[in-house]
Amino acid sequence: MAAVHIPPAWALPESEATPEPVYRNRREVLALAAGALLLPALGCGADPDPLEGVPRYPRPVKRNPRYTLDRPITKKPLAAAFNNFYEFSTDKSAVWPLAKKLTLRPWTVKLAGECKRKGPVDVDLILRKLPQEERLYRFRCVEAWAMAVPWIGIPMRAFLKWVEPTSKAKYVRFVSLHRPTEMPGQVRGRGEFAALFPYAEGLRMDEAANELTLLATGLYGRTLPKQNGAPMRLIVPWKYGFKSAKSLVRIEFTKTRPKTFWNDYAPREYGFYANVNPKVSHPRWSQAREWLLPSRSDERATQLFNGYGAQVAALYKGMNLRENF
Ligand SMILES: Nc1nc2c(c(=O)[nH]1)N[C@H]1C(S)=C(S)[C@@H](COP(=O)(O)O)O[C@H]1N2
Ligand SMILES: [Mo]
């Protein structure tokens, strides 16, 4: 994730010092190696499979045909080996090996605030009670890399029906796990982010209730890998990836707009809305184009709302998207 003190890799002086094609190749090799595509060929000893031990999804799920892609599905080892999950590491390729230590059961999600169904619920109860389906979604990180993933998840709409927010609920806050014993990036003294956790994100109620919003519980026909935010994470495909908080332990309904991790950290750089928008640049780089994992040279134009305008544009009618970025 690009932050104030950690600019994206291609903005570092290092990238200026290295001729672009050389630099690009090095990055690609790193990303690919992390994706376990090159390691076997290179004969490295350690098990390089980032999906090793990730079980198949425990029940049949149907693909919802309504959501189609304009690009190939990203190779699964890449989606599982190139991760932003700062609780483990700020190094994308280091996340999945570190995440192996995370304990997934028991796992409780607390429902709180302005809703009728309050209190702790076991994630397995949620999985038993609520419907799950597969959806192919584009995914766009604020850093300009993009992927396309077959997620499995609970439509947030179904979840809201079950939780019954009151009429006072105007926003939903999603909070990620805080467990320094299993998340090295949360250990005090290990970098500037340690003190800022838990990671939390938020949506307006109407955004949460949009048909696209998903509580993801799986990908590529498997349960969600730890590095991708197991056992349950948010997916909001028309917004930059940082809105999609991982490993949720609390979902809270609030009357006022909640504080969110990146907006709080650098409000000029990361807005609350974070809607994908080619015309609204990040202060340090353009958002006009994106590149598809794993190759920086596989570039294309960024689409407003990540191409989901038909479903979401009405949510922002009359709003100035430059001010409400
Ligand atoms: N708890 C938590 N959630 C998080 C992050 C994080 O660091 N911690 N990173 C975000 C960012 S910046 C992105 S791009 C996506 C990456 O999801 P992926 O690793 O499954 O591709 O997760 C988002 N959710
Ligand atoms: Mo991101």
Side-chain angles (χ1 to χ4, degrees):
M1 179 80 176
V4 172
H5 307 293
I6 305 177
W10 62 95
L12 289 172
E14 178 202 358
S15 69
E16 288 158 26
T18 314
E20 170 64 11
V22 177
Y23 172 72
R24 174 188 286 166
N25 287 339
R26 205 185 108 244
R27 291 288 301 185
E28 278 178 27
V29 166
L30 287 175
L32 281 164
L37 299 175
L38 285 186
L39 284 178
L42 296 172
C44 291
D47 185 352
D49 182 3
L51 287 167
E52 196 232 321
V54 180
R56 277 188 39 203
Y57 210 71
R59 74 195 66 186
V61 278
K62 281 216 186 93
R63 177 174 293 179
N64 186 330
R66 186 167 157 79
Y67 307 103
T68 53
L69 295 172
D70 57 351
R71 57 193 68 184
I73 291 177
T74 303
K75 289 201 169 43
K76 54 187 165 186
L78 284 161
F82 183 91
N83 302 104
N84 275 329
F85 204 162
Y86 275 27
E87 287 88 332
F88 292 102
S89 172
T90 54
D91 172 355
K92 291 174 177 56
S93 334
V95 169
W96 70 267
L98 290 168
K100 281 174 186 272
K101 283 197 202 115
L102 182 64
T103 310
L104 295 182
R105 294 295 188 282
W107 191 282
T108 305
V109 181
K110 285 210 179 83
L111 306 175
E114 293 296 336
C115 59
K116 287 194 191 148
R117 187 184 296 274
K118 271 194 220 284
V121 263
D122 192 286
V123 74
D124 290 319
L125 178 81
I126 298 175
L127 288 165
R128 273 201 308 277
K129 292 271 182 202
L130 297 176
Q132 286 127 71
E133 62 184 50
E134 186 181 62
R135 294 184 180 186
L136 307 180
Y137 277 168
R138 292 180 290 274
F139 183 99
R140 169 63 150 82
C141 174
V142 72
E143 296 164 327
W145 55 270
M147 59 182 180
V149 175
W151 301 104
I152 295 167
I154 300 164
M156 188 65 190
R157 255 189 201 172
F159 183 82
L160 291 175
K161 234 179 170 176
W162 187 65
V163 177
E164 295 187 83
T166 71
S167 58
K168 288 182 187 154
K170 296 286 177 279
Y171 293 87
V172 203
R173 179 169 176 259
F174 300 85
V175 186
S176 299
L177 181 69
H178 188 253
R179 191 184 287 161
T181 52
E182 293 185 350
M183 299 178 128
Q186 291 182 332
V187 176
R188 294 291 168 114
R190 298 247 191 107
E192 61 174 323
F193 295 102
L196 307 179
F197 294 116
Y199 195 101
E201 261 308 330
L203 294 173
R204 242 170 38 193
M205 273 306 285
D206 58 347
E207 296 179 315
N210 185 270
E211 62 166 287
L212 293 172
T213 310
L214 200 66
L215 285 171
T217 52
L219 47 65
Y220 296 91
R222 306 204 190 203
T223 64
L224 202 59
K226 295 172 179 181
Q227 60 270 30
N228 295 98
M232 193 165 81
R233 61 94 59 89
L234 189 62
I235 289 292
V236 200
W238 71 96
K239 294 178 179 283
Y240 291 122
F242 68 84
K243 294 297 286 183
S244 295
K246 294 177 168 182
S247 303
L248 300 175
V249 294
R250 184 181 175 88
I251 298 178
E252 184 179 351
F253 298 86
T254 62
K255 294 178 192 161
T256 55
R257 197 171 100 177
K259 284 195 171 191
T260 54
F261 189 87
W262 286 103
N263 181 241
D264 218 28
Y265 176 72
R268 270 185 0 93
E269 306 207 354
Y270 308 105
F272 173 81
Y273 283 97
N275 291 319
V276 175
N277 190 335
K279 293 202 176 126
V280 178
S281 302
H282 185 279
R284 290 183 282 118
W285 63 87
S286 164
Q287 292 292 21
R289 299 185 69 73
E290 62 191 25
W291 59 275
L292 303 189
L293 289 183
S295 174
R296 255 167 223 281
S297 39
D298 193 358
E299 268 198 16
R300 54 196 71 200
T302 301
Q303 303 173 66
L304 179 62
F305 301 123
N306 205 21
Y308 294 106
Q311 290 90 346
V312 304
L315 295 170
Y316 311 105
K317 225 176 141 197
M319 263 176 70
N320 182 328
L321 296 177
R322 201 169 288 279
E323 280 164 22
N324 301 288
F325 65 100

